[in-house]
């Protein structure tokens, strides 16, 4: 088969796979949980304390990241995007019908891609710094408080002490890992996708959703006492659901000045999802991707 035909067939196959995965992600409905978390957060005042107690340093961090990012990187990245668009223009003008070119590429889209890129970079920096140095324990408290409020105290007791009246006590386990160099490298490897107008930015956001989605359930996996193998199997089996949740959560965190707030509300949404998993019996003690217990026992395959 000629190389051109091979490339076309490969692209078609990849597109079909992405389309099928997208349909599964939408069908899962988990993209709604970040928005449910937002509503739940504002209607349950007991969840406000961890955020309010750290509000000033978090706001300072947000301003200290977003403002310099726009001042010092926006113009540079806009030039890069425009340069990439120029190359696309020349390529399409030479090889493709002009009608297709005019519909696919136009100047104003460079602003869309660049703004989304700067906001994404800012959100990633804010998230990494705040999670590791400012609000790690606060996010754990928020997650656990939602579980306690939803009568999941037996689950919470696997990771912390509970005081009289089911108020939160001392942490026994701390689940959030330090932001890894591998995650930073993967993030920057996918950044060039933003040079593709609209479509590339959308793909970049979905990729970030795929990367970030499972991390919101780190505390849940710990409370379930999942091993590394059990956690990976559960995530793989429910990958579309985590992509849907992660993409919605990532989109919310792109809102300038509110990314920290959405870190909390996304955590609330993840906790509400965990509550539903428990009530529906969709998260057992840990199965492999075929539905068999990793400990050797048989278990019915379950999907979200």
């Amino acid at each position: 088969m000629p190389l051109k035909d091979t490339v076309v067939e490969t692209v078609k196959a990849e597109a079909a796979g992405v389309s099928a995965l997208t349909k599964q992600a939408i069908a899962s409905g988990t993209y709604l949980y970040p928005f449910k978390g937002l509503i739940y957060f504002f209607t349950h005042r007991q969840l406000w304390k961890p955020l309010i107690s750290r509000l000033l340093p978090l706001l300072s961090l947000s301003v200290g990241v977003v403002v310099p990012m726009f001042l010092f990187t926006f113009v540079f990245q806009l030039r890069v995007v425009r340069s990439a668009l120029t190359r696309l223009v020349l390529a399409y003008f030479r090889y493709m019908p002009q009608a297709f070119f005019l519909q696919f590429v136009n100047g104003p889209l460079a602003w869309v891609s660049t703004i989304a890129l700067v906001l994404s970079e800012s959100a990633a920096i804010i998230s990494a710094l705040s999670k590791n140095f400012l609000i790690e324990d606060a996010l754990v408290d928020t997650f656990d408080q939602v579980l306690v409020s939803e009568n999941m105290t037996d689950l919470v007791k696997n990771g912390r002490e509970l005081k009289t009246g089911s108020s939160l006590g001392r942490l026994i386990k701390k689940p959030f890992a330090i932001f890894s160099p591998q995650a930073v490298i993967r993030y920057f490897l996918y950044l060039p996708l933003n040079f593709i107008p609209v479509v590339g930015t959308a793909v970049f956001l979905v990729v970030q959703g795929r990367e970030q989605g499972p991390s919101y359930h780190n505390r849940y996996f710990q409370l379930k006492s999942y091993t590394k193998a059990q956690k990976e199997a559960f995530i793989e089996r429910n990958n579309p659901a985590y992509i849907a949740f992660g993409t919605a959560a990532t989109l919310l965190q792109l809102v300038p000045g509110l990314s920290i707030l959405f870190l909390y509300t996304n955590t609330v949404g993840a906790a509400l999802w965990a509550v539903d998993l428990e009530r529906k019996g969709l998260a057992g003690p840990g199965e492999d991707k075929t539905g068999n217990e990793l400990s050797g026992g048989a278990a019915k395959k379950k999907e979200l």
Side-chain angles (χ1 to χ4, degrees):
M1 180 182 293
L3 179 59
K4 180 180 178 180
D5 293 340
T6 302
V7 171
V8 170
E9 291 300 320
T10 301
V11 171
K12 286 182 177 180
E14 288 296 322
V18 171
S19 176
L21 188 60
T22 301
K23 289 179 181 178
Q24 294 176 43
I26 294 174
S28 72
T30 52
Y31 58 86
L32 294 174
Y33 281 104
F35 302 100
K36 291 179 181 179
L38 182 61
I39 296 171
Y40 193 95
F41 180 83
F42 283 109
T43 55
H44 291 74
R45 298 190 63 175
Q46 69 268 28
L47 298 176
W48 299 0
K49 186 176 179 181
L51 173 61
I52 293 174
S53 64
R54 296 165 175 82
L55 194 56
L56 184 58
L58 289 174
L59 288 175
S60 301
L61 173 64
S62 296
V63 173
V65 171
V66 174
V67 173
M69 286 294 289
F70 271 95
L71 287 177
F72 299 111
T73 71
F74 178 75
V75 175
F76 170 75
Q77 293 190 76
L78 181 58
R79 288 176 179 173
V80 173
V81 172
R82 281 179 170 170
S83 177
L85 286 174
T86 301
R87 290 193 292 272
L88 282 171
V89 167
L90 294 175
Y92 282 107
F93 184 78
R94 181 176 178 184
Y95 296 110
M96 303 296 289
Q98 290 188 26
F100 180 84
F101 153 70
L102 291 173
Q103 293 177 13
F104 189 77
V105 178
N106 60 75
L109 295 181
W111 292 86
V112 176
S113 299
T114 307
I115 290 173
L117 180 59
V118 175
L119 289 176
S120 176
E121 292 169 342
S122 300
I125 294 171
I126 292 170
S127 176
L129 293 177
S130 59
K131 274 187 176 181
N132 290 294
F133 301 107
L134 294 175
I135 60 172
E136 177 185 357
D137 290 348
L139 292 179
V140 177
D141 291 346
T142 300
F143 193 96
D144 288 356
Q145 184 62 63
V146 173
L147 295 183
V148 170
S149 298
E150 296 298 314
N151 299 316
M152 294 287 165
T153 53
D154 288 342
L155 184 61
V156 176
K157 287 178 181 178
N158 293 330
R160 78 184 310 147
E161 296 175 352
L162 292 179
K163 299 178 181 178
T164 304
S166 295
S167 59
L168 300 182
R170 182 178 61 88
L171 276 173
I172 299 173
K173 302 175 183 177
K174 297 176 66 173
F176 294 109
I178 295 297
F179 199 63
S180 68
Q182 292 82 359
V184 177
I185 292 171
R186 286 197 299 270
Y187 177 84
F188 283 102
L189 283 176
Y190 287 116
L191 273 180
L193 285 171
N194 289 278
F195 296 155
I196 304 173
V198 181
V199 176
T201 301
V203 172
F204 177 78
L205 292 174
V206 172
V207 169
Q208 292 307 303
R210 182 190 66 189
E211 294 287 321
Q212 295 297 320
S215 68
Y216 282 97
H217 266 173
N218 280 346
R219 178 59 169 173
Y220 180 50
F221 296 140
Q222 185 183 52
L223 295 176
K224 294 288 290 183
S225 299
Y226 277 9
T227 64
K228 181 180 179 180
Q230 290 170 332
K231 172 184 172 181
E232 291 175 351
F234 187 84
I235 293 172
E236 181 181 352
R237 193 169 67 250
N238 300 290
N239 190 40
Y242 279 109
I243 290 176
F245 179 92
T247 301
T250 299
L251 281 171
L252 287 176
Q253 284 185 237
L254 294 184
V255 179
L258 297 178
S259 59
I260 294 296
L261 168 65
F262 288 127
L263 265 178
Y264 279 87
T265 60
N266 289 338
T267 299
V268 174
L272 292 175
W273 182 11
V275 169
D276 285 344
L277 289 174
E278 289 298 296
R279 288 174 177 169
K280 296 175 183 177
L282 294 175
E287 305 92 12
D288 64 17
K289 62 184 179 181
T290 65
N292 294 319
E293 292 290 344
L294 292 175
S295 59
K300 183 179 179 180
K301 182 177 180 179
K302 300 174 181 177
E303 296 183 354
L304 303 186

